[in-house]
Amino acid sequence: MTATSWLDLPADHPFGIHHLPYGVFSTADDPHRRVGVRIGDLVLDLSRAAASAGYAAGSAWSAPSLNPFLGQGSSAWAAGRAWLTEVLCDAAYRSVIERHLLPLDAVTLHLPIEVGDYVDYYASAHHASNVGKIFRPDSPALPVNWKHLPIGYHGRSGTVVVTGTDYHRPCGQRKGPQDPAPVYGPSVRLDIEAELGFVVGAGTELGERISVDEAAEHLFGVVVLNDWSARDLQAWEYVPLGPYLGKSFCTSISAWVTPMAALAEAKVALPRQADDPQVLDYLTSAAGDGAFGLDVHVEVAVNGTVVSRPEYRDMYWSPAQMLAHMTVNGASVRTGDLFGSGTISGEEKDTRGSFLELSWSGTEPITLADGSQRTFLEDGDTVTLRAVAPGPHGAVIGLGECTGTVLAAR
């Protein structure tokens, strides 16, 4: 039976009682940043609501980030979610809770976590194959190791920003195939990567490993993520050690963190073929259900024109496998660590999650609603990523949006 809130929200509201995502906000009257939960088109001021209702554990929500709450571990996350569901569904709490509800348009949203380390993966077989064909036309599309382990790179946590943050076009070295020598200047092949990001809650000690089946105790939630990419800088620098300045200048995430607990109905089997290699034991689930995909539908819009609709269910590697691989060498994780899924791309052109693929490295321009064409991003372009997933009893989970505008290079 579906829980019903005394707020009387529509059953199909993407931020209904079945969702309850966390964020960090402030108001004009009170600039102190604190944790809130979105319910419908309202934000519940959590620490103050908890104090009014006598929920002592809610004191962690007075912090200017989610990190203190995340660090309490999965039992605290479950207890907090259960308390929220109770007070928003039981009318006996209405008089206590209602005065701490704020209109969404009356709050300013901030980066929800203090990002510890940031890792970005490469988990779409379609994206990896397309990139291989473009960047390495004389080699196999997929590297020989790709179906044996989740490939990733370390990013720059200090340049992770919340949705709505604009950024300047990056500068760096680039060298085209016909150029006699590298040159310095603004990127001329600025791109996006439509991804999901996964937020780590409870951390580990150095030397400790997280198995696929233990991942649920450490994975708190999901954000929509845009891994902005300068393809010309990337192509020149990435051999032999991988991405660096072509990726490190900006990564955008949505303001709301959807708890993994809200995505129970979105779990799907990973796509596998009969002739795929058997992965090593540490990447398998002893319980049988630890390595799963997610039925998340993503939308990519440029200046209001939808140019792609990637499907996350096409991703080859599970977030649990990514976390297991990240720690198998004994590397520790910290509360607030973030890892991206890598570009979400499908087999069809309109499901590709980057301009590199959509325009096939600039050879097939995309036409926007105003008649203008793009191969890569121009100054002034605004990119918005949105994502939804199935919830219980036919409900919809809205993961919010992730947007940013390209400013001219400094």
Side-chain angles (χ1 to χ4, degrees):
M1 182 176 178
T2 305
T4 303
S5 172
W6 43 259
L7 282 163
D8 196 27
L9 297 171
D12 60 350
H13 198 295
F15 292 92
I17 192 66
H18 53 278
H19 189 177
L20 302 177
Y22 293 86
V24 168
F25 76 97
S26 63
T27 64
D29 293 336
D30 186 351
H32 169 68
R33 299 184 183 189
R34 64 265 196 201
V35 178
V37 152
R38 182 169 175 181
I39 177 72
D41 295 319
L42 301 168
V43 177
L44 180 61
D45 191 335
L46 280 180
S47 62
R48 293 173 185 178
S52 295
Y55 184 62
S59 60
W61 292 326
S62 65
S65 82
L66 276 168
N67 289 43
F69 175 56
L70 302 187
Q72 292 179 345
S74 59
S75 59
W77 313 338
R81 185 172 175 82
W83 177 80
L84 278 166
T85 302
E86 180 182 9
V87 299
L88 289 169
C89 290
D90 187 341
Y93 288 96
R94 182 168 186 166
S95 62
V96 176
I97 298 298
E98 195 166 28
R99 63 178 180 267
H100 299 295
L101 287 167
L102 304 169
L104 183 62
D105 60 7
V107 308
T108 298
L109 296 172
H110 304 282
L111 192 68
I113 56 174
E114 294 177 20
V115 183
D117 286 308
Y118 168 54
V119 173
D120 199 31
Y121 280 99
Y122 195 43
S124 165
H126 298 296
H127 173 68
S129 295
N130 287 337
V131 171
K133 292 172 185 175
I134 292 169
F135 279 5
R136 303 180 301 277
D138 299 324
S139 302
L142 280 182
V144 66
N145 61 350
W146 196 90
K147 289 191 174 182
H148 290 274
L149 55 88
I151 295 175
Y153 71 90
H154 280 278
R156 191 172 183 84
S157 60
T159 54
V160 176
V161 299
V162 72
T163 178
T165 304
D166 304 332
Y167 72 95
H168 291 271
R169 180 179 296 269
C171 295
Q173 283 195 30
R174 61 179 190 269
K175 181 183 179 299
Q178 309 306 319
D179 294 338
V183 298
Y184 169 84
S187 169
V188 296
R189 291 164 67 89
L190 188 59
D191 200 357
I192 65 161
E193 292 195 346
E195 306 187 19
L196 295 185
F198 298 92
V199 177
V200 175
T204 59
E205 298 293 330
L206 188 66
E208 183 180 350
R209 301 181 182 91
I210 299 174
S211 71
V212 168
D213 292 317
E214 292 167 338
E217 298 298 310
H218 298 269
L219 285 176
F220 173 76
V222 181
V223 292
V224 183
L225 185 150
N226 188 347
D227 178 28
W228 305 91
S229 301
R231 298 300 185 186
D232 43 355
L233 277 58
Q234 180 184 358
W236 173 232
E237 75 184 1
Y238 88 106
V239 177
L241 293 181
Y244 185 32
L245 300 186
K247 298 279 193 175
S248 63
F249 57 93
C250 187
T251 301
S252 301
I253 65 171
S254 53
W256 297 107
V257 183
T258 296
M260 294 299 295
L263 294 173
E265 300 297 323
K267 292 182 180 180
V268 293
L270 294 172
R272 291 291 184 268
Q273 304 296 324
D275 58 350
D276 284 345
Q278 177 65 42
V279 299
L280 296 178
D281 287 347
Y282 78 91
L283 290 170
T284 63
S285 169
D289 57 359
F292 55 83
L294 291 168
D295 186 19
V296 177
H297 316 288
V298 181
E299 179 182 274
V300 180
V302 180
N303 301 337
T305 300
V306 176
V307 298
S308 179
R309 288 188 171 89
E311 295 288 340
Y312 191 83
R313 67 182 303 143
D314 291 335
M315 302 296 271
Y316 192 86
W317 294 104
S318 164
Q321 291 173 315
M322 297 178 205
L323 187 56
H325 185 67
M326 189 188 309
T327 61
V328 73
N329 67 345
S332 58
V333 293
R334 294 183 290 174
T335 296
D337 279 5
L338 174 71
F339 62 95
S341 63
T343 306
I344 308 166
S345 287
E347 192 169 6
E348 303 301 322
K349 181 174 181 177
D350 62 358
T351 63
R352 297 172 184 170
S354 69
F355 271 84
L356 179 69
E357 300 164 89
L358 285 167
S359 72
W360 206 251
S361 195
T363 63
E364 301 173 9
I366 300 147
T367 302
L368 304 183
D370 63 1
S372 63
Q373 292 189 320
R374 297 290 186 278
T375 51
F376 292 95
L377 296 174
E378 297 182 2
D379 292 348
D381 283 348
T382 297
V383 178
T384 301
L385 309 181
R386 299 182 181 90
V388 297
H393 308 288
V396 175
I397 300 281
L399 276 71
E401 68 176 40
C402 178
T403 188
T405 298
V406 181
L407 306 178
R410 284 176 166 164

